[in-house]
């Protein structure tokens, strides 16, 4: 399997960044020490043997070079005003409210960034986990840990199943609720700001 890089000189660094892993977590999957993982990431040592085989399924889940993620946001449509006899509104209160809406919408969007990053990482794991588990021997279950002193390959396979158990396949419910609340508040403020801007003289 060809190892393709995203942007760094090290495919190990690409894997770690793409899946949101710490160096210690990646070392646990590869079955190497933290120091060895650091050498692999910086290119001071080459991937070989079992570590290369363990990394290959993760590398296979990396996006192709040049792939650009597509994101978007729903925008609330402003309702049409009924036919009313209204004088042109004073600009000052509208402008003050517009400034408030824009400021707080930007603040909410900034608060969404880390949640979106976590959710994106979780989505990568959700897509990768079936193939990663399929590449391992069958899982004997959490309680059936082999003795590493007498059955190292079996223990390492068991350990990798446990390692995969810790990967988040979705944003937790509490953070998911926070994400939706922040998103809806930001969209509401952005819709109000657009309607206010349309009322102000150009």
């Amino acid at each position: 399997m060809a190892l393709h890089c995203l942007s760094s000189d090290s495919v190990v660094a690409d894997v770690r960044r793409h899946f949101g892993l710490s160096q210690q977590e990646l070392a646990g999957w590869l079955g190497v020490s933290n120091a060895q993982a650091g050498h692999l990431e910086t290119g001071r040592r080459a991937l070989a043997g079992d570590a290369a085989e363990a990394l290959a399924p993760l590398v296979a889940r990396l996006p192709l070079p040049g792939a650009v993620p597509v994101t978007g946001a729903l925008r609330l449509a402003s309702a049409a005003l009924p036919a009313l006899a209204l004088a042109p509104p004073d600009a000052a209160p509208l402008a003050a409210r517009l400034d408030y809406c824009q400021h707080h919408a930007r603040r909410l969007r900034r608060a969404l960034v880390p949640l979106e990053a976590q959710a994106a990482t979780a989505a990568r794991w959700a897509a990768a986990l079936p193939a990663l588990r399929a590449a391992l021997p069958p899982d004997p279950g959490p309680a059936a840990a082999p003795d590493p002193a007498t059955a190292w390959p079996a223990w390492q396979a068991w350990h990798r199943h446990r390692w995969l158990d810790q990967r988040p396949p979705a944003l937790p419910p509490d953070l998911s609720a926070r994400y939706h609340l922040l998103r809806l508040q930001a969209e509401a403020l952005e819709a109000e700001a657009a309607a206010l801007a349309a009322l102000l003289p150009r």
Side-chain angles (χ1 to χ4, degrees):
M1 178 183 298
L3 300 184
H4 59 279
C5 292
L6 295 178
S7 58
S8 74
D9 294 330
S10 166
V11 72
V12 177
D14 285 337
V15 166
R16 196 156 78 80
R17 182 175 57 254
H18 182 73
F19 288 108
L21 295 170
S22 69
Q23 192 173 86
Q24 183 177 4
E25 287 174 325
L26 185 58
W29 171 255
L30 296 178
V32 300
S33 68
N34 289 351
Q36 288 174 311
H39 291 317
L40 292 173
E41 185 170 349
T42 57
R44 289 194 294 269
R45 291 188 182 174
L47 277 166
D50 187 60
E53 291 181 11
L55 191 69
L58 291 169
V59 173
R61 304 302 306 185
L62 294 177
L64 294 173
V68 177
V70 178
T71 59
L74 296 176
R75 293 290 178 264
L76 300 176
S78 57
L81 291 173
L84 299 173
L86 298 171
D90 288 338
L94 298 181
R97 178 64 185 178
L98 174 61
D99 182 69
Y100 173 91
C101 291
Q102 291 175 331
H103 171 76
H104 286 279
R106 288 193 296 268
R107 180 180 59 80
L108 291 167
R109 289 292 178 189
R110 287 195 297 269
L112 279 169
V113 169
L115 295 173
E116 290 170 342
Q118 284 181 256
T121 298
R124 293 168 190 156
W125 279 114
L129 282 171
L132 292 172
R133 290 194 185 280
L136 294 174
D139 183 7
D147 183 355
T150 58
W152 173 254
W155 180 89
Q156 194 167 54
W158 174 88
H159 168 73
R160 285 174 175 160
H161 277 291
R162 305 290 71 76
W163 188 93
L164 291 175
D165 288 343
Q166 298 175 39
R167 301 309 107 201
L171 200 65
D174 59 329
L175 295 182
S176 179
R178 176 169 170 75
Y179 166 79
H180 286 295
L181 288 171
L182 292 174
R183 177 183 60 81
L184 290 172
Q185 291 171 32
E187 289 176 357
L189 286 169
E190 288 163 352
E192 184 179 353
L196 288 165
L199 289 171
L200 288 168
R202 299 183 182 280

